[in-house]
Amino acid sequence: MAAPVNAVGRDHVADVVGDIVAALRRGGVVYGRALLRAPWGLAFESRSIATIYVVIAGSCVLVPDGGEALHLAQGDVALLPSGAGHVAADTPGRSARTVRERFGADLEELSATDLVIEGDGPETVLVCGAYLLEPSPQHPFLASLPDVVRVTAGQMRGTSLAAAVHLLTTEVDHAGRGTPAVVASLLDLLFTYTLRSWFLGQPDQLAGWARALHDPAVGPALALLHDDPGKPWTVEALAHSVGVPRARFSRRFTSTTGHTPMEYLGIWRMTVAARLLRESQAPLRQIARKVGYDSEFAFSRAFKRVVGHAPGRYRAMHRRDEGAADTRR
């Protein structure tokens, strides 16, 4: 299925998904290459970490907590977008130890290193990437996704995801001085490409966010809101921009996203504001204006209602957390 685009050729699925991924992550991607000879099993507890696996060679199984085993072959990609607990192993039912138990540190502390398990069986080579996720504000997009998003090598053939996997495989096989930076950048792309490929591969009976992103009116409207959250949008203006009568547009937007257009605009504004508070030194007044508030007081009240903390406290909490993380390093 081709990606839905507007008149100037924009891919709305990639635009919106990429924006959401970037807004919800904390810091850069961390990764490790795993060289695993059977028997092996690694357990990962549920955490606010989105994890992606790329099978470079061999095969493995991925078993989400309470779910069925998914078999991954060479070239397959699996993404756990919400940090669900899971086991990765050479075969179903294998006993598993956590990364900390097996290697003495968590994956984020072992970034850009090789994780090796020796055994007598077949070898599997994985590249594992991870993002720390910002738990608040929670975006409704994440709640719409399954615990595991899997895209097989066959499904991604001829796509941007396939090209990124090929580049990643080549870079890992020919590691050099610049490999960590290149691999981190490629994994960054894979998060967005994997979600886009999964959404585009959904069956015709679309529902929820899959339907919203494919909808010829709702998809472009979401892209408009993401492009300029500070604009004084109205339902009438959005409907006019995508060429759909107001009442019809409002019904379609609400039925697919679970929120009215103005409710979603509020969620997205606070998501953008939260990222700016975490990642910039901009004063609150400037952030408020960027997300559509002339009054710093009105912005602070809205932010606290959605996120649970006043903007200043939210920023201070994140600075304290980052300082503690730097100390541990």
Side-chain angles (χ1 to χ4, degrees), residues 117-167:
I117 295 180
E118 298 288 354
D120 299 326
E123 183 180 57
T124 297
V125 180
L126 303 174
V127 172
C128 311
Y131 278 135
L132 290 175
L133 294 174
E134 178 54 39
S136 180
Q138 180 68 272
H139 195 280
F141 171 80
L142 280 186
S144 75
L145 297 171
D147 285 342
V148 183
V149 172
R150 177 181 60 173
V151 182
T152 68
Q155 290 171 331
M156 71 178 76
R157 189 171 293 116
T159 67
S160 299
L161 177 58
V165 169
H166 175 72
L167 288 172

Side-chain angles (χ1 to χ4, degrees), residues 207-238:
W209 272 84
R211 183 180 168 202
L213 291 170
H214 285 82
D215 189 282
V218 179
L222 286 167
L224 289 170
L225 295 177
H226 280 226
D227 281 348
D228 192 359
K231 185 174 179 176
W233 290 106
T234 63
V235 177
E236 289 85 355
L238 278 172

Side-chain angles (χ1 to χ4, degrees), residues 96-109:
R97 299 165 64 188
T98 67
V99 172
R100 176 166 287 279
E101 290 171 338
R102 187 67 180 78
F103 300 105
D106 292 324
L107 180 61
E108 56 265 36
E109 301 171 280

Side-chain angles (χ1 to χ4, degrees), residues 14-230:
D15 287 346
V16 175
V17 169
D19 284 346
I20 293 170
V21 170
L24 295 179
R25 54 184 278 195
R26 294 176 59 186
V29 64
V30 299
Y31 79 93
R33 183 175 67 164
L35 310 172
L36 312 166
R37 285 195 175 276
W40 62 272
L42 293 171
F44 297 83
E45 297 178 350
S46 176
R47 296 177 61 193
S48 292
I49 292 180
T51 307
I52 193 166
Y53 295 93
V54 182
V55 184
I56 303 299
S59 62
C60 66
V61 294
L62 193 118
V63 189
D65 290 352
E68 298 182 357
L70 298 174
H71 291 265
L72 304 178
Q74 183 173 341
D76 290 356
V77 175
L79 170 65
L80 292 95
S82 300
H86 62 284
V87 168
D90 64 299
T91 189
R94 182 73 70 194
S95 61
R97 299 165 64 188
T98 67
V99 172
R100 176 166 287 279
E101 290 171 338
R102 187 67 180 78
F103 300 105
D106 292 324
L107 180 61
E108 56 265 36
E109 301 171 280
L110 296 168
S111 188
T113 61
D114 283 345
L115 312 177
V116 180
I117 295 180
E118 298 288 354
D120 299 326
E123 183 180 57
T124 297
V125 180
L126 303 174
V127 172
C128 311
Y131 278 135
L132 290 175
L133 294 174
E134 178 54 39
S136 180
Q138 180 68 272
H139 195 280
F141 171 80
L142 280 186
S144 75
L145 297 171
D147 285 342
V148 183
V149 172
R150 177 181 60 173
V151 182
T152 68
Q155 290 171 331
M156 71 178 76
R157 189 171 293 116
T159 67
S160 299
L161 177 58
V165 169
H166 175 72
L167 288 172
L168 179 66
T169 302
T170 301
E171 189 64 35
V172 170
D173 287 344
H174 302 87
R177 180 177 299 175
T179 292
V182 173
V183 171
S185 296
L186 288 171
L187 284 169
D188 209 15
L189 289 174
L190 285 178
F191 273 81
T192 297
Y193 285 169
T194 299
L195 289 171
R196 180 177 63 175
S197 293
W198 183 80
F199 274 115
L200 293 176
Q202 292 302 290
D204 293 336
Q205 294 77 25
L206 298 173
W209 272 84
R211 183 180 168 202
L213 291 170
H214 285 82
D215 189 282
V218 179
L222 286 167
L224 289 170
L225 295 177
H226 280 226
D227 281 348
D228 192 359

Side-chain angles (χ1 to χ4, degrees), residues 259-274:
H259 298 275
T260 68
M262 294 300 98
E263 285 174 346
Y264 182 77
L265 176 59
I267 291 170
W268 183 242
R269 282 175 167 174
M270 296 306 105
T271 302
V272 171

